Amino acid sequence: AMADTDAQPWVKNYQPGVPAEIELPTHSLVEMLEHSVAEAGGHPAMEFFGRRTSYAELGEQVDRVAEGLRLLGVRAGDRVALLLPNCPQHVVAFYAVLRLGAVVVEHNPLYTSRELRHQFEDHQARVVIAWDKAVPALRGFPADVEIDHIVSVDLLQAFPALKRIALHLPVPSLRRKREALTAAAPGTIPWTRLLGHGRLDPAHPRPGVEDLAAIQYTSGTTGRPKGAMLTHLNLLANALQGEAWMHGAEYRKEVFYAILPMFHAFGMTLYLTYGIRKQALLVLFPTFTPDLVLDAMKKSPATVYCAVPPIYERTAMAAKERGVSLRSCRFCISGAMNLPDHVVELWESMSGGLLVEGYGMTESSPVALGNPFHPTRRTGTIGVPFPSTLMRVVDPDDPTRLVPQGEPGELLLHGPQVFVGYWNDPEETAATLLPGGWLRTGDIVTVDADGFTTIVDRVKELIITGGFNVSPSEVEAALRLHPAVTSAAVVGKPLERGGEMVVAAVEIDAAASFDEEALREHCRDLLAAYKVPRRIVQIEDTPRSMLGKILRKEVRERVLPLV
């Protein structure tokens, strides 16, 4: 039987004032929004290239678009697909779909037809709200994927009037900017037509707290994308956990910079749910460039600036260069990949708060652990479990067996933010959600006596060579210490006689030359012999996800034929 490890030794390291438990939500995200609209009325909810929208206006637009979607036939339980960058229409669309009791399915608007097709075959949404530039990808589906209506969104309509007029001037650079932002989408329903309807009947039924709110596709621990089903309870609980964690953040006082994509679980929770709950101002960026961010800092300085390590580094370097203050940034959480010490030191030397690392996955809505915004934080770890969240560390081959404290094992999570399963996929659900509601993360961690957790590796990405397990991350870290290496990705090549050979793909600094033997020599100084890559190849650009994570599966496909 599984010993009970539900004691929470980590709570003593919480920032003072952060509770061990949150009160679980009893209503849906729809009531949460309506509460914020009622309380924050005239306060700004969104800013986009300088143009602001108040909470009252947001509430009205949500009601109008909900009515427009209802007239298109959207009913409770229907899936509605969104393919939008961060923009005001994205916020409105998200809540309009939820208002009808329908289910939001977020997609990356830059995906190709091929990447989107499998997701559409799976969720079968018949109504799509898409950035007009993403419409051609939807037109490329085979006949068996039926879409009834595409609502197309022109980002320029959310721009301030003067900027919009400027973009129509016959200047080549402006024309290029305009072409990057919008494209004609004939045969679609313009977004403005949805806004032209009256408001939805206030008596129209609202979803319940246990109802499905979103399906978020994740590659999960195995290749094929799977739709993680997240309920109103999951998403609202995670917003309340985030609120407990950001102790000291105030209603109607915070300014969130929405840089991470809202079609990702982290961006969805940070901005669409938690930010709206805090009645904050969301400054929306359809793409990240340091200049866009620093220009916005002058008008509306950020207080909550959550991003990934490369974005912190680029923002800080550019701010230093331009002499722009980052002192307003008090709450900064980094996720998705390990946070190097030098980035923490650089950012904290310029900002008004600590930069802490957190951990989550789509299946946990997504945040499950974080470092406290307090001197107890431990750089290099992913922190401790959030309020109302429990963890266990188990043998990956037998998840009922706990491993001794301090030994590496697979992280299991339990809490109100843990998803209810994968859409249409009972087998994967059973493999991921264990009895009692424990979520298998597929991450190998070690936990110290205080509950601070360090990721050792992904279960599925461990390389087994000569009976030893090799962590790709450890070999990558060693390679990156070489002055000539700017990026490293490590994968295993299966051998005929069983086991795998460690193979590395590196990007080399333009000023340096590639020397395979010198790099292996460098690794021998830092790693046990069996971890040293048997082959190192040079590549131009390492495949990465939108959040900058190395896509080892794509590295494998590209590099293994070469060795």
Side-chain angles (χ1 to χ4, degrees), residues 463-468 492-502 534:
I463 299 167
I464 298 172
T465 171
F468 289 110
K493 176 173 178 138
L495 298 170
E496 269 144 55
R497 58 174 191 278
E500 295 169 286
M501 165 171 102
V502 181
R534 299 263 286 282

Side-chain angles (χ1 to χ4, degrees), residues 57 74 156 257 262 279 289 300 324 359 402 412 434 437 484 522 544 561:
E57 290 167 319
V74 176
L156 293 187
Y257 271 27
M262 296 192 295
Q279 300 162 24
T289 68
S300 309
V324 175
Y359 167 85
L402 291 168
L412 303 187
L434 301 177
H522 161 84
R544 290 176 184 273

Side-chain angles (χ1 to χ4, degrees), residues 48-49 85-87 155 159 181 258-259 284-288 292 546:
F48 191 63
F49 291 95
N86 292 1
C87 58
L155 291 191
F159 272 61
L181 287 164
I259 294 165
L284 302 164
F285 297 91
T287 64
F288 167 77
L292 274 181
M546 288 291 290

Side-chain angles (χ1 to χ4, degrees), residues 148-310:
D148 297 335
H149 302 288
I150 297 175
V151 176
S152 61
V153 170
D154 175 354
L155 291 191
L156 293 187
Q157 287 167 346
F159 272 61
L162 281 172
K163 279 211 171 80
R164 208 160 59 230
I165 294 160
L167 285 166
H168 285 273
L169 295 173
V171 180
S173 69
L174 288 174
R175 194 178 305 124
R176 274 198 303 278
K177 268 191 186 147
R178 192 184 145 72
E179 282 164 9
L181 287 164
T182 183
T188 60
I189 298 166
W191 171 259
T192 44
R193 195 184 306 164
L194 291 194
L195 282 172
H197 291 292
R199 297 177 74 154
L200 183 76
D201 177 354
H204 188 91
R206 289 163 177 76
V209 68
E210 305 278 356
D211 286 347
L212 195 52
I215 296 174
Q216 278 289 76
Y217 280 86
T218 168
S219 54
T221 42
T222 56
R224 201 171 48 80
K226 301 182 293 290
M229 299 190 287
L230 302 172
T231 63
H232 286 265
L233 175 74
N234 291 151
L235 291 169
L236 187 43
N238 207 226
L240 296 176
Q241 290 167 321
E243 177 171 47
W245 206 246
M246 285 194 187
H247 185 66
E250 295 179 74
Y251 284 83
R252 297 178 294 285
K253 293 269 172 68
E254 305 304 329
V255 179
F256 285 64
Y257 271 27
I259 294 165
L260 296 165
M262 296 192 295
F263 55 78
H264 264 278
F266 192 22
M268 180 191 280
T269 286
L270 259 173
Y271 317 128
L272 290 172
T273 61
Y274 170 51
I276 295 289
R277 171 167 169 87
K278 277 318 252 195
Q279 300 162 24
L281 168 59
L282 306 179
V283 181
L284 302 164
F285 297 91
T287 64
F288 167 77
T289 68
D291 282 338
L292 274 181
V293 165
L294 296 178
D295 290 346
M297 282 277 183
K298 287 184 241 163
K299 178 177 179 179
S300 309
T303 65
V304 178
Y305 195 85
C306 295
V308 291

Side-chain angles (χ1 to χ4, degrees), residues 80-107:
V80 177
L82 268 48
L83 282 85
L84 295 165
N86 292 1
C87 58
Q89 297 97 326
H90 194 150
V91 183
V92 174
F94 180 84
Y95 279 104
V97 172
L98 296 182
R99 176 64 185 86
L100 295 173
V103 180
V104 169
V105 194
E106 288 279 2
H107 300 78

Side-chain angles (χ1 to χ4, degrees), residues 195-527:
L195 282 172
H197 291 292
R199 297 177 74 154
L200 183 76
D201 177 354
H204 188 91
R206 289 163 177 76
V209 68
E210 305 278 356
D211 286 347
L212 195 52
I215 296 174
Q216 278 289 76
Y217 280 86
T218 168
S219 54
T221 42
T222 56
R224 201 171 48 80
K226 301 182 293 290
M229 299 190 287
L230 302 172
T231 63
H232 286 265
L233 175 74
N234 291 151
L235 291 169
L236 187 43
N238 207 226
L240 296 176
Q241 290 167 321
E243 177 171 47
W245 206 246
M246 285 194 187
H247 185 66
E250 295 179 74
Y251 284 83
R252 297 178 294 285
K253 293 269 172 68
E254 305 304 329
V255 179
F256 285 64
Y257 271 27
I259 294 165
L260 296 165
M262 296 192 295
F263 55 78
H264 264 278
F266 192 22
M268 180 191 280
T269 286
L270 259 173
Y271 317 128
L272 290 172
T273 61
Y274 170 51
I276 295 289
R277 171 167 169 87
K278 277 318 252 195
Q279 300 162 24
L281 168 59
L282 306 179
V283 181
L284 302 164
F285 297 91
T287 64
F288 167 77
T289 68
D291 282 338
L292 274 181
V293 165
L294 296 178
D295 290 346
M297 282 277 183
K298 287 184 241 163
K299 178 177 179 179
S300 309
T303 65
V304 178
Y305 195 85
C306 295
V308 291
I311 286 181
Y312 282 113
E313 192 163 17
R314 289 177 59 197
T315 306
M317 309 274 271
K320 219 172 213 171
E321 218 168 277
R322 282 179 52 177
V324 175
S325 169
L326 299 175
R327 288 272 157 227
S328 62
C329 300
R330 298 207 324 280
F331 300 102
C332 307
I333 301 177
S334 176
M337 55 181 121
N338 67 318
L339 176 64
D341 290 352
H342 76 268
V343 176
V344 176
E345 285 157 24
L346 170 66
W347 183 263
E348 290 185 357
S349 71
M350 300 181 69
S351 77
L354 302 178
L355 169 54
V356 300
E357 190 167 0
Y359 167 85
M361 56 194 295
T362 305
E363 291 85 347
S364 60
S365 302
V367 194
L369 289 90
N371 265 288
F373 286 106
H374 196 61
T376 52
R377 57 88 185 257
R378 290 184 197 169
T379 307
T381 75
I382 53 171
V384 296
F386 258 25
S388 295
T389 307
L390 301 173
M391 67 176 170
R392 287 174 174 163
V393 183
V394 300
D395 177 347
D397 298 321
D398 175 10
T400 63
R401 195 178 75 76
L402 291 168
V403 300
Q405 196 260 307
E407 296 288 307
E410 183 178 356
L411 177 66
L412 303 187
L413 295 170
H414 192 281
Q417 73 273 51
V418 169
F419 81 141
V420 292
Y422 296 111
W423 180 257
N424 275 341
D425 204 337
E427 279 154 50
E428 280 287 345
T429 300
T432 308
L433 268 183
L434 301 177
W438 288 88
L439 169 66
R440 289 193 73 161
T441 65
D443 281 309
I444 301 291
V445 300
T446 55
V447 178
D448 69 20
D450 292 331
F452 282 88
T453 303
T454 303
I455 293 193
V456 186
D457 231 310
R458 305 273 317 147
V459 172
K460 298 284 189 280
E461 292 179 336
L462 285 176
I463 299 167
I464 298 172
T465 171
F468 289 110
N469 287 352
V470 177
S471 138
S473 319
E474 188 186 1
V475 183
E476 288 163 359
L479 281 161
R480 282 198 304 266
L481 290 172
H482 191 283
V485 174
T486 57
S487 171
V490 171
V491 295
K493 176 173 178 138
L495 298 170
E496 269 144 55
R497 58 174 191 278
E500 295 169 286
M501 165 171 102
V502 181
V503 175
V506 295
E507 288 178 49
I508 297 294
D509 187 276
S513 58
F514 174 66
D515 179 344
E516 183 178 7
E517 201 36 55
L519 288 176
R520 292 183 55 201
E521 196 56 56
H522 161 84
C523 289
R524 279 189 205 106
D525 292 340
L526 298 167
L527 300 167

